[in-house]
């Protein structure tokens, strides 16, 4: 694994905007010295590295499913801050094996040893369009003889064909609170993959979904019944909403309710309990850092690197945020590897239960947040 430089394509901004990355300016804080999509650099991996990473993330995914089974069978919902009234419904969702679509592992990897799991974004992962479409066209334009770890688009279409959903259209729900357009475009892209798979779809804002109390069903703004819906809207927000008690019992949601356990960072501690010393895991605990002298405290339901605290013998570093009332997990801290002063996080994509591709974000800091840039990759031919 190495970092290389190259000249950006002339007019690259219009190119990526035409391919759907219309939010690349709005999604990045102002005043930064580099763009969100940065094709002046890229990472090069060997085929052997990619094949090894594929095996590792599929093993991690299988371990995560085992962890869900463990939580459900032992009733450890309090560790995940799941409301008491929703716990039986989480169990039923898992026991039914409600259908799931995709997820993204965030990994520490430097090319010299096993990848280390940082977290699993299994409910509402973004940076999908960049990973699936934008970097693929970059590869075709700049390195047409090389390959890329990227079968995301094809796998998504195949997965939509496999899913057994209720009859009628599938609704695709975004939130009007999305100020950058990133979530709306991610939902629109997934809606397009479903349509390519032959499904009938309807776009809807989460704020426009209503509850028909008389007929006991969810409806859209046109009063059409919602039988199945993809939502880029976290389950913890749904459970905190007034209609949450209906949501857990009515309609088929993608991602399913059982994924609220995978998208919660308490998962990291449960994995360490079930697989202590596993080479792809970092030590993690729910009751404090224990023997760890270097650790990072992560809020169970935090997002975008907010409300985190890194503690090392050299000092403490914190990020601002409003998360943490739900509790923290304490994970062993290993600084992200540095490549020319930049620190990459590998986002390994799962579609259904198979590894499907890679997206890389990098920043100069120790925590990857909304100031990071997305950079493409290739497999050397």
């Amino acid at each position: 694994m190495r970092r290389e430089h190259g000249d950006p394509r002339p007019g690259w901004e219009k190119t990526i905007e035409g391919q759907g990355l219309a939010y690349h300016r709005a999604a990045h804080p102002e005043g930064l010295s580099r763009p969100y999509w940065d094709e002046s650099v890229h990472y090069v991996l060997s085929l052997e590295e990619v094949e090894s990473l594929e095996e590792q993330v599929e093993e991690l995914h299988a371990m995560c499913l085992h962890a869900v089974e463990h939580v459900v069978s032992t009733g450890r919902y309090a560790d995940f801050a799941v409301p008491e009234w929703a716990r039986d419904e989480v169990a039923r969702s898992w026991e039914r094996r409600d259908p799931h679509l995709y997820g993204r592992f965030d990994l520490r990897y430097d090319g010299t040893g096993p990848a280390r799991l940082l977290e699993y974004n299994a409910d509402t992962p973004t940076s999908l369009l960049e990973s699936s479409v934008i970097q693929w066209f970059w590869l075709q334009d700049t390195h047409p003889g090389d390959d890329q770890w990227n079968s995301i688009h094809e796998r998504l279409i195949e997965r939509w064909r496999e899913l057994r959903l209720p009859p009628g259209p599938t609704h695709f729900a975004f939130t009007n609170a999305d100020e950058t357009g990133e979530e709306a475009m991610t939902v629109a892209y997934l809606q397009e993959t479903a349509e390519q798979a032959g499904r009938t779809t309807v776009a809807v804002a989460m704020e426009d979904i209503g509850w028909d109390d008389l007929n006991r069903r969810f409806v859209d703004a046109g009063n059409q019944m919602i039988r199945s819906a993809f939502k880029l809207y976290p389950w913890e927000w749904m459970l905190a909403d007034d209609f949450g008690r209906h949501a857990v019992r009515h309609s088929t949601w993608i991602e399913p309710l059982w994924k609220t356990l995978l998208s919660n960072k308490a998962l990291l501690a449960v994995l360490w309990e079930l697989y202590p010393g596993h080479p792809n895991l970092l030590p993690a605990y729910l009751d404090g850092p224990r023997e760890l002298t270097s650790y990072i405290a992560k809020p169970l339901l935090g997002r975008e690197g907010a409300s985190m605290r890194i503690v090392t013998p050299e000092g403490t570093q914190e990020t601002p945020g409003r998360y943490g009332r739900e509790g923290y997990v304490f994970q062993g801290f290993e600084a992200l590897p540095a490549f020319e002063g930049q620190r990459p996080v590998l986002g390994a994509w799962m579609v259904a239960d198979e590894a499907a591709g890679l997206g890389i974000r990098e920043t100069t800091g120790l925590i990857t947040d909304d100031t990071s840039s997305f950079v493409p990759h290739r497999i050397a031919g």
Side-chain angles (χ1 to χ4, degrees):
M1 179 176 171
R2 64 182 186 273
R3 189 175 189 264
E4 291 193 355
H5 296 256
D7 294 327
R9 294 165 293 175
W12 64 268
E13 297 98 330
K14 290 185 177 180
T15 298
I16 65 172
E17 287 167 7
Q19 294 163 352
L21 196 59
Y23 52 84
H24 70 101
R25 304 175 197 269
H28 215 36
E30 294 182 0
L32 299 180
S33 60
R34 63 188 301 204
Y36 170 66
W37 167 266
D38 189 354
E39 61 182 61
S40 69
V41 294
H42 65 273
Y43 283 84
V44 183
L45 291 88
S46 69
L47 179 60
E48 291 75 18
E49 285 176 315
V50 168
E51 289 176 341
S52 175
L53 285 168
E54 285 182 322
E55 293 179 1
Q56 291 176 62
V57 297
E58 289 187 355
E59 181 178 359
L60 280 170
H61 179 71
M63 291 160 57
C64 288
L65 296 183
H66 178 212
V68 174
E69 175 64 33
H70 168 77
V71 173
V72 170
S73 63
T74 58
R76 293 184 58 179
Y77 301 107
D79 287 339
F80 289 73
V82 176
E84 189 170 351
W85 61 265
R87 295 172 184 178
D88 287 346
E89 297 299 337
V90 173
R92 292 188 184 100
S93 174
W94 171 247
E95 289 160 0
R96 290 191 303 262
R97 297 301 191 269
D98 287 347
H100 63 292
L101 180 66
Y102 78 135
R104 190 193 77 225
F105 284 106
D106 283 351
L107 306 170
R108 183 199 184 279
Y109 181 69
D110 60 11
T112 63
R116 299 279 195 154
L117 174 62
L118 301 177
E119 59 184 72
Y120 194 8
N121 298 279
D123 185 20
T124 58
T126 54
S127 77
L128 178 66
L129 184 65
E130 300 92 301
S131 301
S132 177
V133 175
I134 308 302
Q135 68 170 344
W136 177 255
F137 283 113
W138 166 85
L139 180 76
Q140 301 310 303
D141 289 344
T142 61
H143 298 84
D146 286 352
D147 202 354
Q148 194 173 79
W149 182 10
N150 189 356
S151 60
I152 301 170
H153 187 80
E154 297 79 8
R155 294 279 184 89
L156 285 169
I157 295 172
E158 178 184 358
R159 181 57 174 165
W160 284 118
R161 289 177 178 147
E162 293 172 349
L163 291 180
R164 296 182 178 179
L165 299 177
T170 298
H171 285 68
F172 281 75
F174 55 91
T175 172
N176 288 328
D178 174 23
E179 297 179 351
T180 67
E182 178 181 13
E183 294 180 11
M185 288 303 300
T186 301
V187 172
Y189 169 64
L190 283 163
Q191 184 175 354
E192 180 183 341
T193 62
E195 290 174 350
Q196 290 184 29
R199 292 195 176 274
T200 302
T201 69
V202 177
V204 63
M206 289 293 295
E207 292 80 3
D208 290 337
I209 295 177
W211 174 250
D212 180 351
D213 197 46
L214 179 63
N215 296 301
R216 309 293 295 172
R217 63 184 186 178
F218 284 106
V219 294
D220 61 19
N223 210 37
Q224 182 178 18
M225 181 179 178
I226 298 176
R227 291 184 171 90
S228 64
F230 172 87
K231 52 149 198 83
L232 201 67
Y233 194 83
W235 265 110
E236 63 264 24
W237 295 2
M238 294 177 70
L239 296 180
D241 198 283
D242 290 341
F243 78 90
R245 292 176 184 267
H246 300 309
V248 299
R249 299 182 180 91
H250 299 272
S251 299
T252 297
W253 301 96
I254 301 171
E255 298 296 323
L257 180 57
W258 60 263
K259 272 205 166 182
T260 194
L261 301 177
L262 289 188
S263 62
N264 187 306
K265 294 179 184 64
L267 171 72
L268 301 171
V270 172
L271 285 171
W272 187 250
E273 290 177 24
L274 297 176
Y275 301 95
H278 193 282
N280 294 126
L281 299 177
L282 293 164
Y285 308 106
L286 291 171
D287 57 357
R290 297 191 189 180
E291 80 283 356
L292 300 174
T293 56
S294 295
Y295 64 90
I296 180 168
K298 297 180 176 181
L300 301 185
L301 301 174
R303 295 177 175 275
E304 295 284 0
S307 306
M308 292 190 178
R309 184 173 75 257
I310 297 174
V311 178
T312 68
E314 290 73 38
T316 300
Q317 177 179 327
E318 298 186 52
T319 59
R322 53 185 176 81
Y323 301 100
R325 285 186 296 177
E326 71 279 6
Y328 287 82
V329 66
F330 301 85
Q331 184 184 44
F333 176 71
E334 289 186 9
L336 295 171
F339 290 76
E340 300 179 311
Q342 296 289 330
R343 299 181 182 275
V345 164
L346 272 59
W349 290 92
M350 300 290 300
V351 176
D353 301 314
E354 295 183 336
L358 174 68
I360 300 176
R361 293 167 297 151
E362 64 174 18
T363 182
T364 56
L366 296 175
I367 295 175
T368 305
D369 55 20
D370 61 356
T371 67
S372 64
S373 291
F374 189 101
V375 298
H377 78 277
R378 64 186 175 93
I379 302 171

